[in-house]
Amino acid sequence: MNSEPLAPLDLAFWRMESVGHPMHLGALALFAPADDAPPTDDDLLELLARRTSAMRRLRRRVHDVLLPLGGAAWSVDKDFDVTRHLHRIRLPAEDFTAGATALAGGLMERPLERGLPPWEMYLITGAAGGAFAVLVKLHHALADGMRAVAIGSGIFDEVADPRGVRARARARLRSPVQPPERSWLRDPGRLVGTARDRIDDLHLAVGVGASLVRASRLDPRGLPWLSAAASGTRRLGTAALDLEEVRLVRKAVGGTTNDVLLAAVAGGLRRWLVERGESPPADGPRALVPVSRRRPGAPLGPGNKLSGYLLDLPVGEPDPGRRLAAVRTAMDRNKEAGPLRGAGALAVIADQLPPVAHRVGAPLAGGAARMLFDLLVTSVPLPRTELSLGGCPLHSLYPMAPLARGQSLAVALTQYGGQVHVGLVVDGKAVPDVDRIAAGVRTELAELATIDGGHETSE
């Protein structure tokens, strides 16, 4: 059987999953009607089937292997049937977007079938005028944020253009074939280099492990509503922010676009608590902010490549400007220390562990997430070009991140079409009012936009 071993971090995500805590990423893409000759539902379904079938990665499934002990590998599913992965759902035309959002939350509850290639897509139709939505679910073992974008982009008209596919195929044929590498056992110099790499990896793992221990909390702070007992239910809340407004805040106060968005999330959580009649905590909640370890412009290569920063969101600070200043200071400190410090570096340790350790330890690590952080806040990049499907322009795309055990909120953000689209995945019973958090994030950005730079000196 022609197979490829799962990379260590991918294996960790695969072993970490349970029925109540599925480990898939998601995205809800909303498309506007085509200018003329809109495609029918059957046309769209056939288009999705053709384009997803053309992606070899989506034809692979995971199977256990005897060696290495506890390992697993990717192999092409010889019985691959795209109709088992594509589904069509028709909703009433009234308030279609709200219906699609509610449906997406419910569909995110369902784990992907582990005996099949781990992905699904849902074509959601029924909107007036021919608008529609597509929900994408990809297991985290299959893709991190960057690879999920690459896979998802393969369904769009511009990326999936068959002429481009043929051109890339011709380029591969023209590329010189590299001779196979000799076994390292026959090359003493390479053996020494391999040993040196293993020692360096061990030093890295020890250093990261020490940082991880220091970051752990025996008495987690944060918000009890974000760590309620898991119900297995999911709801999706969404917010669309004006990207130009975000940039104006950044220009007035300084920092990065991501700093402004993190401050908006902190302010949204504070407003949500106040509306519930609760007192925001002085410290926390603690957010894990993932960081890609892929080098810009480098090939994606196999496996997830992630680390992350820790950030105590300043929900106890009543002033929006000072909240943003606190986020800036903390993120600057994180960047100075680098992404190999704190709970986010758990992914780096995962890259150093043998498969059997993931078999035994991944479920335990998933359960320990509450000791490390309270929620996830991640940014997902999208191509900066205008995207469409079957001639229908992409209007908005709301990313969705999985929930770790003991947590009830994951926030994902992406920029497209002059907006920042915010997807908030929550445990439906622990946080039944996720729409209030979404509204709070929008209100917080509006408040930040009134800052004239006067808070710059507060740092």
Side-chain angles (χ1 to χ4, degrees):
M1 178 183 294
N2 186 14
S3 63
E4 173 191 322
L6 264 71
L9 186 53
D10 299 349
L11 183 61
F13 287 134
W14 188 254
R15 299 300 188 201
M16 196 180 297
E17 183 172 61
S18 67
V19 174
H21 293 88
M23 288 298 297
H24 51 254
L25 313 172
L28 178 65
L30 301 172
F31 294 87
D35 291 336
D36 52 14
T40 66
D41 293 1
D42 288 339
D43 291 337
L44 291 169
L45 201 63
E46 190 277 332
L47 187 63
L48 288 172
R50 186 170 69 249
R51 291 179 178 174
T52 52
S53 295
M55 288 183 258
R56 187 174 184 276
R57 179 167 288 271
L58 296 186
R59 302 173 67 92
R60 302 193 307 173
R61 66 180 186 88
V62 177
H63 66 275
D64 290 336
V65 295
L66 292 177
L67 293 174
L69 188 64
W74 293 104
S75 62
V76 174
D77 184 0
K78 296 181 179 179
D79 299 318
F80 178 76
D81 181 356
V82 73
T83 63
R84 302 180 71 176
H85 301 266
L86 291 177
H87 313 278
R88 173 168 44 184
I89 298 176
R90 190 170 184 84
L91 296 178
E94 299 81 16
D95 210 355
F96 175 82
T97 300
T101 301
L103 177 64
L107 292 173
M108 286 295 286
E109 295 177 10
R110 305 179 185 178
L112 296 164
E113 188 172 338
R114 290 175 76 87
L116 298 176
W119 66 275
E120 288 180 340
M121 288 188 189
Y122 292 83
L123 173 64
I124 306 169
T125 62
F132 63 94
V134 175
L135 172 66
V136 181
K137 293 169 59 177
L138 301 169
H139 199 284
H140 213 334
L142 180 67
D144 57 12
M146 293 289 289
R147 187 170 288 284
V149 170
I151 292 173
S153 295
I155 73 171
F156 294 119
D157 296 334
E158 294 79 0
V159 181
D161 186 291
R163 290 170 296 179
V165 172
R166 287 195 293 270
R168 289 191 292 272
R170 287 194 298 270
R172 285 196 296 270
L173 290 174
R174 288 195 298 267
S175 300
V177 177
Q178 300 295 324
E181 294 186 353
R182 294 178 298 169
S183 168
W184 60 267
L185 289 172
R186 301 177 184 176
D187 187 342
R190 189 172 182 183
L191 176 59
V192 172
T194 300
R196 186 183 300 116
D197 289 344
R198 292 295 177 267
I199 293 172
D200 291 343
D201 288 346
L202 178 60
H203 288 166
L204 173 64
V206 170
V208 170
S211 298
L212 185 63
V213 170
R214 288 194 296 269
S216 301
R217 302 169 299 174
L218 295 178
D219 181 21
R221 294 162 293 168
L223 307 177
W225 306 274
L226 301 183
S227 58
S231 67
T233 60
R234 296 290 183 270
R235 286 197 63 196
L236 171 64
T238 63
L241 310 179
D242 186 342
L243 182 56
E244 183 59 29
E245 199 167 31
V246 174
R247 289 170 176 163
L248 289 174
V249 174
R250 177 177 57 81
K251 290 177 181 178
V253 184
T256 67
T257 295
N258 201 45
D259 292 341
V260 176
L261 295 175
L262 288 167
V265 170
L269 287 172
R270 177 183 172 84
R271 294 171 188 277
W272 170 63
L273 286 173
V274 171
E275 285 185 6
R276 291 169 63 117
E278 306 289 347
S279 297
D283 298 309
R286 177 180 286 183
L288 173 63
V289 183
V291 176
S292 175
R293 292 166 55 213
R294 300 186 188 277
R295 286 182 288 182
L300 289 179
N304 284 269
K305 297 292 182 183
L306 295 171
S307 184
Y309 295 133
L310 288 175
L311 173 67
D312 287 330
L313 296 174
V315 300
E317 170 56 60
D319 181 81
R322 290 191 173 89
R323 277 198 294 274
L324 176 52
V327 168
R328 284 186 57 194
T329 300
M331 288 302 289
D332 287 345
R333 190 183 305 118
N334 276 329
K335 293 169 189 174
E336 183 177 354
L340 302 184
R341 297 291 181 267
L346 180 62
V348 180
I349 290 183
D351 271 340
Q352 317 302 320
L353 296 178
V356 68
H358 291 299
R359 183 93 185 201
V360 175
L364 298 176
R370 180 69 184 89
M371 304 298 294
L372 302 170
F373 58 95
D374 302 296
L375 73 155
L376 182 77
V377 184
T378 183
S379 293
V380 181
L382 276 185
R384 295 186 179 182
T385 58
E386 294 183 3
L387 301 171
S388 63
L389 177 63
C392 301
L394 176 66
H395 176 267
S396 53
L397 186 145
Y398 295 98
M400 291 172 276
L403 291 179
R405 284 187 184 90
Q407 297 180 354
S408 301
L409 171 64
V411 183
L413 311 98
T414 195
Q415 300 176 27
Y416 178 77
Q419 292 186 317
V420 179
H421 299 115
V422 186
L424 303 103
V425 175
V426 299
D427 183 288
K429 291 189 177 179
V431 187
D433 51 352
V434 63
D435 292 337
R436 288 189 176 185
I437 302 179
V441 173
R442 289 191 294 267
T443 303
E444 179 70 6
L445 179 60
E447 286 290 322
L448 288 170
T450 65
I451 298 174
D452 60 3
H455 287 288
E456 184 73 7
T457 58
S458 66
E459 299 180 39

